[in-house]
Amino acid sequence: MDAITLTRVYSLKSMEDMLRHITFRGAYNVRGSHVFPYQHAKFSLTTVYPQSSPGTSPEVKIGRRREPLFTPQPTIYENQTKILEEVDEFLLGHDMKMSELKHAVEYAWEGRGEFHILPPVIEKHTYRLKNGYLDLAHLLKRFKGVYVKDAIGKLHPLSSRNLRSFYIDEVSKMDHLDIFNSNVPIINYGLGHDGEFTFYIVCDGAHRLDYVLEKIKRPITALLVEPAKKGSTLYPYYAFPVPFRPTLRLSSKKSEKMYHRLERDKIHLLNDFIKKTLHYDWEAGGLKVSKLRTNVEIF
């Protein structure tokens, strides 16, 4: 194993301050400045427990009860798990455990670069359902004051269902662009369910969760992010919440190409042209997280 060197340990408070400075990769305010998803969020430590039986999801502790944990994509890449095994060995050498992190750790990995590792991040969201389908009109209100840019730099309000004259490059434009993914109208969480749907979804650290829960078979400390004020909400998450299990276990991201009918990919909330605008820019908060990320062009 190449040498891993401890660079710095950040306190819980310092880690929270860093998280407050992350931005959306492609969401802006009316002045064209980046929007901060966690600027007014509340942070607290909690515990995630392994699944109780085959097919069930891990559970996150919320007060005195446990709630099922959702994920944007139930896929695990074993080469990432192998990396985590080495990082966990490094942490143990400094009297820390990946299962019990309550702060952020910065380390330098010879030949690979500098990284941070922190507790898995779990967000609390509350959407509204109509007969089991997302109430899109209600969801649009969550985007008030949030804009996306097209290819010529024009701002378009995400609180509007249809974006007008949206340029996809310097020449071609779409007269009307529905902001939502075309699959949104067919995603149902149970016919007959109306009203609020509260769920907890992992937004960073799915591989860390899986490594500790499945390989070490222990509960894991996680960071819960929720609205700071009662009655308020976080910005909508970029993908639909889906059950954690069953999980697709692949050797690597590249190995997906071997399975031509692999269909359990994440379901983005927004249209393909803008689907990654709600992804987080962790480096804006000074966090270098070693995670699979695509370099898709975002305006």
Side-chain angles (χ1 to χ4, degrees):
M1 181 178 73
D2 294 328
I4 303 179
T5 305
L6 177 65
T7 304
R8 182 176 176 181
V9 176
Y10 294 83
S11 66
L12 177 61
K13 178 63 168 59
S14 296
M15 180 176 65
E16 291 177 2
D17 290 341
M18 296 170 79
L19 287 168
R20 291 192 193 282
H21 285 86
I22 68 173
T23 66
F24 287 118
R25 290 179 63 190
Y28 308 89
N29 60 25
V30 69
R31 298 182 299 277
S33 300
H34 281 284
V35 174
F36 301 88
Y38 292 162
Q39 186 173 15
H40 303 296
K42 180 178 75 172
F43 300 95
S44 61
L45 293 172
T46 188
T47 304
V48 177
Y49 297 91
Q51 65 188 90
S52 57
S53 59
T56 60
S57 293
E59 294 180 324
V60 56
K61 183 179 180 182
I62 304 297
R64 295 183 178 180
R65 69 184 191 280
R66 296 183 184 183
E67 296 286 346
L69 183 61
F70 288 83
T71 177
Q73 183 181 19
T75 303
I76 294 296
Y77 302 106
E78 296 297 343
N79 62 339
Q80 299 298 302
T81 300
K82 180 62 178 177
I83 289 173
L84 290 176
E85 290 177 355
E86 296 185 51
V87 174
D88 196 23
E89 182 179 341
F90 150 73
L91 291 173
L92 289 170
H94 292 276
D95 296 321
M96 294 181 282
K97 295 180 180 179
M98 192 174 296
S99 60
E100 299 176 6
L101 282 181
K102 298 179 180 179
H103 44 254
V105 176
E106 183 179 351
Y107 61 93
W109 196 330
E110 184 180 351
R112 298 193 182 190
E114 296 182 350
F115 305 98
H116 293 90
I117 187 168
L118 53 156
V121 181
I122 295 170
E123 293 183 2
K124 175 186 178 181
H125 289 274
T126 300
Y127 292 172
R128 184 172 293 176
L129 301 179
K130 281 187 175 181
N131 202 28
Y133 297 97
L134 289 190
D135 184 339
L136 299 183
H138 185 264
L139 201 60
L140 282 172
K141 297 177 182 178
R142 305 278 182 87
F143 291 120
K144 182 179 180 181
V146 179
Y147 298 77
V148 293
K149 292 181 180 179
D150 63 14
I152 63 172
K154 179 182 176 182
L155 289 170
H156 298 263
L158 267 185
S159 57
S160 175
R161 176 69 185 266
N162 290 287
L163 308 184
R164 297 183 178 181
S165 298
F166 187 91
Y167 281 82
I168 61 173
D169 58 29
E170 293 80 1
V171 177
S172 300
K173 69 176 180 179
M174 301 185 69
D175 292 332
H176 298 279
L177 177 70
D178 187 338
I179 73 162
F180 290 116
N181 186 317
S182 59
N183 290 327
V184 167
I186 62 173
I187 305 298
N188 187 275
Y189 287 95
L191 293 174
H193 288 278
D194 295 295
E196 291 188 346
F197 167 43
T198 297
F199 61 91
Y200 299 85
I201 186 168
V202 55
C203 74
D204 183 69
H207 281 82
R208 298 194 292 280
L209 278 164
D210 183 80
Y211 167 70
V212 172
L213 299 178
E214 295 291 288
K215 302 289 185 178
I216 302 180
K217 299 187 182 301
R218 291 179 56 87
I220 182 172
T221 300
L223 187 69
L224 177 64
V225 185
E226 53 190 329
K229 296 181 180 179
K230 187 176 181 180
S232 62
T233 59
L234 299 178
Y235 289 107
Y237 196 60
Y238 79 87
F240 274 74
V242 297
F244 229 91
R245 307 293 183 222
T247 300
L248 292 177
R249 295 190 178 276
L250 299 168
S251 59
S252 68
K253 178 72 173 177
K254 290 183 179 179
S255 69
E256 289 180 349
K257 297 178 181 179
M258 297 173 59
Y259 305 93
H260 301 295
R261 296 185 64 83
L262 192 64
E263 297 175 349
R264 291 203 71 196
D265 196 7
K266 66 184 67 171
I267 307 169
H268 279 85
L269 179 66
L270 300 183
N271 188 292
D272 281 353
F273 286 106
I274 57 174
K275 67 181 182 181
K276 296 201 173 185
T277 56
L278 295 183
H279 284 205
Y280 296 157
D281 182 357
W282 298 88
E283 291 192 8
L287 290 165
K288 301 173 184 177
V289 289
S290 53
K291 183 178 177 181
L292 292 170
R293 303 195 188 280
T294 55
N295 294 318
V296 173
E297 183 179 15
I298 297 176
F299 304 114

